[in-house]
Amino acid sequence: MKLFIKDHFPLIVMNVVQMAVVLLVYWLDGYHKLSLIVYSLFLGCLILTVYLVFRYISNRKFYERLTVTVNKMDEAFEMLDTTPLSQALGKLLQKQYRLYLNHLHLQEKKRNDHLTFINQWVHQMKTPLSVIELITQESEDERLESIREEKDKLEKGLEMVLYAARLEVFEQDFQIEPVMLKTVIEEAIRENKRLFIKNHVYPENRVSPTIVESDEKWLKFIFNQLITNAVKYSAGKGQKVLVSELNTPHETIVTVQDYGVGISKTDLKRVFNPFFTGENGRIYRESTGMGLYLVKEVCDKLGHKVEISSVQGEGTSVQLSFRR
């Protein structure tokens, strides 16, 4: 009703002005009969009122559509009034919806093509890396050891690219099931064995065979990222990376603790932002700023909570919480 009145307010004003001008002309011409003036005003107002009521009834659904929020897409295509303006609005909404669907399907196709390409490319890159692994493991030459280390970096980079691409279609790529935490963490530590040795850091796993509801593949990716970060920022300190567990009545909390360089207070609030490397990124040039971002995104989608605390120069602690 408010929109209808606002829309027709200029018409009401113009009609009032028009009636006043006409009556003024008659008055100036010598017709001073007050009863006739009042009767004319009454007829003018009555005709205008009848027109406005008819107009409102005819276009009521049209004005409601413009003022009421649409909660479902189907509501946008409900039949409106039979007036030309209402019909034009209905056709416009349908055309806009078809354009939107076409654009959506096009973007979906582009995303699927991109994901297919990334998957194929990553798997193609894994073949030469496997060959490099076979060649270099036959000798203890220091140069070949360096090649193995660089090969490990390439594998981790490819893994991050693959999981970042899969994150776009996460709903199609996860399965919640009972997962044993200790087994997943042991596999993540085993995969980073050479990284531990190279950086003179040793792992300590204090997690019991606790079962949580999660996706094993994505959970392994999470711990791989956390352990890799913990080792990288503890390099050369001869320290350990401690993975421990705390059980409460409502949740299981797994903590990945390192005793490395730590994170400054100014950077701590932004570590989950994509591509953010902070002060440590200027020291450790290999930092991409994507590891913790992907961890946070995956945890949010799986319904897990991830928090981080750190003291610069003393180490960093990442807590991963699983609801019971």
Side-chain angles (χ1 to χ4, degrees):
M1 177 62 79
K2 289 182 179 180
L3 180 60
F4 176 81
I5 294 174
K6 288 181 180 179
D7 185 38
H8 288 80
F9 184 74
L11 175 65
I12 297 172
V13 173
M14 284 300 299
N15 272 268
V16 171
V17 171
Q18 182 180 359
M19 286 188 290
V21 170
V22 171
L23 292 175
L24 180 62
V25 170
Y26 278 103
W27 181 271
L28 295 176
D29 196 39
Y31 293 92
H32 296 166
K33 194 173 182 179
L34 187 61
S35 59
L36 181 62
I37 295 174
V38 173
Y39 185 65
S40 300
L41 285 173
F42 171 74
L43 287 178
C45 292
L46 179 62
I47 294 172
L48 178 61
T49 302
V50 171
Y51 169 78
L52 291 176
V53 170
F54 171 76
R55 180 78 175 172
Y56 176 74
I57 294 174
S58 301
N59 293 277
R60 182 173 56 86
K61 291 184 179 180
F62 170 76
Y63 284 102
E64 287 178 354
R65 175 61 47 82
L66 295 177
T67 54
V68 178
T69 303
V70 177
N71 296 319
K72 296 180 181 179
M73 189 59 69
D74 294 341
E75 296 178 6
F77 305 112
E78 292 178 355
M79 290 297 296
L80 296 175
D81 309 293
T82 57
T83 59
L85 193 60
S86 298
Q87 293 296 316
L89 175 64
K91 291 179 181 179
L92 176 62
L93 290 175
Q94 291 177 6
K95 289 179 181 178
Q96 291 291 339
Y97 182 62
R98 284 195 292 270
L99 287 173
Y100 166 74
L101 284 182
N102 291 337
H103 181 72
L104 192 65
H105 292 155
L106 179 62
Q107 294 302 317
E108 186 72 18
K109 183 179 182 301
K110 287 182 178 180
R111 186 178 70 169
N112 290 335
D113 291 344
H114 174 72
L115 181 60
T116 301
F117 169 76
I118 291 295
N119 281 323
Q120 292 178 349
W121 179 75
V122 169
H123 288 300
Q124 287 175 354
M125 293 300 102
K126 284 184 176 181
T127 301
L129 290 178
S130 299
V131 175
I132 293 173
E133 174 69 19
L134 290 173
I135 294 173
T136 56
Q137 69 182 6
E138 297 176 357
S139 174
E140 297 298 327
D141 192 304
E142 290 185 1
R143 291 173 296 179
L144 294 181
E145 180 63 30
S146 297
I147 293 175
R148 281 197 291 269
E149 292 174 0
E150 297 304 318
K151 189 270 303 181
D152 289 342
K153 293 178 184 178
L154 284 172
E155 282 187 337
K156 289 188 178 299
L158 289 174
E159 181 186 58
M160 183 174 292
V161 169
L162 182 61
Y163 277 91
R166 286 178 176 173
L167 196 62
E168 296 183 8
V169 289
F170 184 87
E171 291 75 13
Q172 306 170 20
D173 193 42
F174 81 105
Q175 181 178 355
I176 299 298
E177 58 186 357
V179 178
M180 185 176 292
L181 279 174
K182 185 174 183 179
T183 302
V184 174
I185 294 170
E186 286 176 347
E187 289 179 4
I189 291 174
R190 193 180 307 114
E191 289 184 6
N192 290 279
K193 180 175 64 176
R194 278 205 289 262
L195 186 65
F196 277 103
I197 295 172
K198 175 194 172 185
N199 291 285
H200 306 290
V201 179
Y202 69 92
E204 185 175 340
N205 185 6
R206 295 182 185 175
V207 176
S208 61
T210 304
I211 302 294
V212 297
E213 294 293 325
S214 188
D215 181 280
E216 184 173 355
K217 176 184 65 181
W218 284 101
L219 196 57
K220 184 179 174 183
F221 169 77
I222 290 172
F223 282 113
N224 255 317
Q225 294 300 318
L226 296 181
I227 289 173
T228 299
N229 278 357
V231 175
K232 180 169 63 177
Y233 295 121
S234 301
K237 290 183 172 289
Q239 295 285 357
K240 64 182 178 181
V241 170
L242 174 63
V243 185
S244 58
E245 173 189 355
L246 173 65
N247 290 300
T248 71
H250 304 291
E251 59 184 1
T252 296
I253 303 173
V254 177
T255 301
V256 179
Q257 173 73 52
D258 70 65
Y259 301 91
V261 296
I263 304 171
S264 67
K265 289 183 178 181
T266 55
D267 290 346
L268 196 58
K269 296 179 181 179
R270 303 170 62 191
V271 292
F272 291 121
N273 294 347
F275 306 108
F276 178 75
T277 56
E279 293 181 10
N280 290 337
R282 289 187 283 272
I283 302 173
Y284 300 86
R285 297 295 183 179
E286 297 173 1
S287 300
T288 62
M290 288 298 292
L292 287 177
Y293 164 72
L294 292 175
V295 166
K296 183 69 165 61
E297 289 292 304
V298 174
C299 285
D300 288 345
K301 292 180 181 295
L302 290 175
H304 307 325
K305 183 170 67 174
V306 61
E307 297 176 317
I308 187 168
S309 57
S310 183
V311 177
Q312 196 165 17
E314 297 182 12
T316 301
S317 174
V318 182
Q319 295 85 33
L320 195 62
S321 303
F322 304 87
R323 290 195 298 266
R324 288 181 174 275

